């Protein structure tokens, strides 16, 4: 008789239980950055909508921020840390190539011996991690998951770069995901276009830095290319996420895009035809662009400032380096 393998089977539905957040300790106004880029506060506000951004102190790491945000999400969720059996951290700013941020965070928040791994999908990282947590739980591989987006982008900023440096901030946002009696996380629309990888990303490699042939690698972007891609192509992705979930834009309580640029956010809302009743996450104004952390940070603030959207539907979409993207509709806790 041929042996038959057992395959795990999980619950039918999942949802987000709670969010947590941690922002850098330092508030950095535009005036502190304009000298090296020969710019002005007015120029930055008009182009990006940013008034200030938060950055972490030198001794604070992306791991520290992730642990703080993760601990808050767990406390708010009502789930015991020991019951969390998967920790997924989205980041591009792990201070070391290895070990993973997630393994250290799992230990710090009391989730040992949870499965733990990092996701490198830049500004789409949180959406990717939510999709994976949802699949792991519905597949019976995990029961509860902690998902974190964390960045210390000030470590990879060139103060004299006019393409992206003044956009970037530091922070972490987290969510606890678990079983649900009703659908709480919609289908994820995700993908990439690596053929345009040079549009936004690091300007050098670590090996070039090691060998003395290049300075410390920092982030760069081709602003017009990224803007056009984000506005025109990502709106198609957002619409597909709505369609696959089976809802209309008018059904949304909130819209939380990656906090890349206020002009992109505004154009996004216009192209989607969002009614005035939809609350839009605009955390970029005082936090800056925090890559993988931006969606959960913006959602955390949105829930604090607009508690009436709790229980409603939110469309979240991330997009960034490597032209990687991910979008899904979730029920807000």
């Amino acid at each position: 008789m041929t042996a038959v393998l057992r395959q795990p089977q999980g619950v039918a539905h999942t949802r987000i239980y709670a969010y947590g957040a941690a922002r850098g300790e330092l508030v950095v106004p535009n005036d502190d950055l304009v000298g090296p880029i020969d710019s002005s506060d007015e120029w930055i506000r008009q182009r990006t909508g940013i008034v200030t951004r938060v950055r972490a102190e030198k001794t604070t790491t992306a791991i520290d921020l992730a642990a703080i945000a993760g601990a808050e999400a767990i406390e708010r969720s009502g789930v015991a840390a020991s019951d969390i059996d998967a920790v997924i951290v989205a980041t591009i700013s792990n201070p070391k190539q290895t070990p993973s941020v997630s393994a250290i965070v799992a230990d710090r928040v009391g989730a040992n011996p949870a499965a733990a791994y990092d996701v490198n999908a830049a500004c789409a990282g949180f959406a990717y991690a939510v999709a994976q947590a949802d699949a792991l739980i519905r597949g019976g591989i995990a029961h509860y998951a902690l998902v974190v987006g964390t960045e210390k982008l000030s470590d990879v900023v060139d103060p004299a770069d006019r393409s992206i440096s003044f956009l970037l901030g530091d922070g972490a946002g987290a969510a606890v995901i678990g079983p649900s009696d009703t659908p709480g996380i919609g289908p994820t629309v995700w993908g990439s276009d690596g053929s345009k990888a040079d549009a936004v990303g690091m300007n050098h490699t670590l090996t070039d830095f090691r060998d003395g042939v290049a300075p410390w690698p920092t982030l760069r972007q081709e602003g017009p290319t990224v803007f056009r891609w984000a506005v025109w192509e990502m709106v198609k992705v957002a619409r597909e996420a709505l369609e696959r979930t089976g809802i209309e834009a008018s059904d949304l309580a909130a819209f939380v895009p990656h906090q890349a640029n206020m002009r992109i956010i505004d154009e996004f809302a216009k192209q989607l035809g969002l009614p005035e009743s939809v609350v839009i996450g605009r955390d970029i104004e005082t936090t800056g662009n925090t890559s993988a952390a931006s969606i959960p940070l913006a959602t955390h603030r949105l829930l604090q400032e607009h508690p009436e959207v709790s229980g409603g539907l939110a469309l979240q979409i991330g997009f960034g380096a490597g032209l990687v993207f991910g979008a899904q509709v979730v029920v807000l806790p």
Side-chain angles (χ1 to χ4, degrees):
M1 180 178 179
T2 303
V4 178
L5 295 177
R6 292 179 181 175
Q7 283 193 304
Q9 183 174 351
V11 298
H13 310 298
T14 65
R15 64 180 174 90
I16 295 175
Y17 287 26
Y19 286 87
R23 289 176 169 81
E25 303 93 337
L26 308 175
V27 175
V28 183
N30 293 334
D31 285 337
D32 286 5
L33 305 178
V34 297
I37 60 174
D38 190 24
S39 185
S40 67
D41 170 64
E42 181 182 11
W43 183 83
I44 293 176
R45 290 189 190 217
Q46 288 180 346
R47 290 182 64 86
T48 70
I50 298 174
V51 178
T52 61
R53 76 281 297 136
V54 290
R55 290 184 175 173
E57 294 180 347
K58 187 175 182 179
T59 56
T60 300
T61 68
I63 299 170
D64 298 326
L65 295 167
I68 295 169
E72 182 190 350
I74 293 170
E75 182 179 359
R76 288 175 173 269
S77 73
V79 176
S82 57
D83 288 338
I84 291 175
D85 46 8
V87 177
I88 309 171
V89 174
T91 186
I92 60 169
S93 46
N94 186 348
K96 297 180 179 180
Q97 296 292 97
T98 192
S100 68
V101 172
S102 55
I104 299 171
V105 169
D107 178 59
R108 290 193 185 181
V109 301
N112 271 343
Y117 63 95
D118 290 356
V119 172
N120 184 338
C123 310
F126 185 76
Y128 267 50
V130 167
Q132 292 179 44
D134 166 58
L136 290 173
I137 296 168
R138 289 192 294 115
I141 302 172
H143 298 90
Y144 297 96
L146 174 66
V147 171
V148 186
T150 186
E151 304 290 7
K152 189 182 180 186
L153 299 178
S154 57
D155 283 345
V156 289
V157 164
D158 176 0
D161 168 55
R162 286 177 62 90
S163 74
I164 199 172
S165 63
F166 53 89
L167 291 168
L168 304 178
D170 302 333
V176 171
I177 297 175
S180 175
D181 293 332
T182 56
I185 298 174
T188 296
V189 178
W190 57 356
S192 66
D193 183 1
S195 69
K196 297 183 178 64
D198 291 340
V200 55
M202 306 301 289
N203 61 345
H204 301 295
T205 67
L206 287 174
T207 51
D208 284 344
F209 173 71
R210 177 200 63 193
D211 295 341
V213 298
W216 174 250
T218 56
L219 280 169
R220 294 287 195 278
Q221 75 169 349
E222 296 176 6
T225 300
V226 174
F227 185 91
R228 288 192 299 270
W229 173 73
V231 169
W232 302 112
E233 296 303 319
M234 292 304 96
V235 166
K236 298 175 186 176
V237 172
R239 287 175 180 151
E240 184 178 349
L242 291 173
E243 182 179 351
R244 291 183 60 186
T245 306
I247 67 168
E248 304 289 338
S250 57
D251 296 320
L252 295 172
F255 174 51
V256 189
H258 163 52
Q259 304 291 292
N261 180 308
M262 194 72 80
R263 292 165 59 207
I264 291 176
I265 295 171
D266 290 342
E267 188 62 29
F268 235 135
K270 178 182 176 182
Q271 293 293 326
L272 286 172
L274 297 180
E276 291 185 3
S277 60
V278 177
V279 179
I280 300 174
R282 300 182 187 277
D283 192 46
I284 190 171
E285 182 177 14
T286 55
T287 300
N289 178 340
T290 54
S291 190
S294 75
I295 289 175
L297 279 176
T299 306
H300 182 273
R301 173 163 285 170
L302 185 147
L303 286 167
Q304 288 184 323
E305 296 179 351
H306 298 276
E308 71 276 9
V309 304
S310 179
L313 298 174
L315 169 62
Q316 59 184 31
I317 178 168
F319 47 89
L323 300 199
V324 175
F325 58 87
Q328 65 253 133
V329 176
V330 302
V331 175
L332 294 171

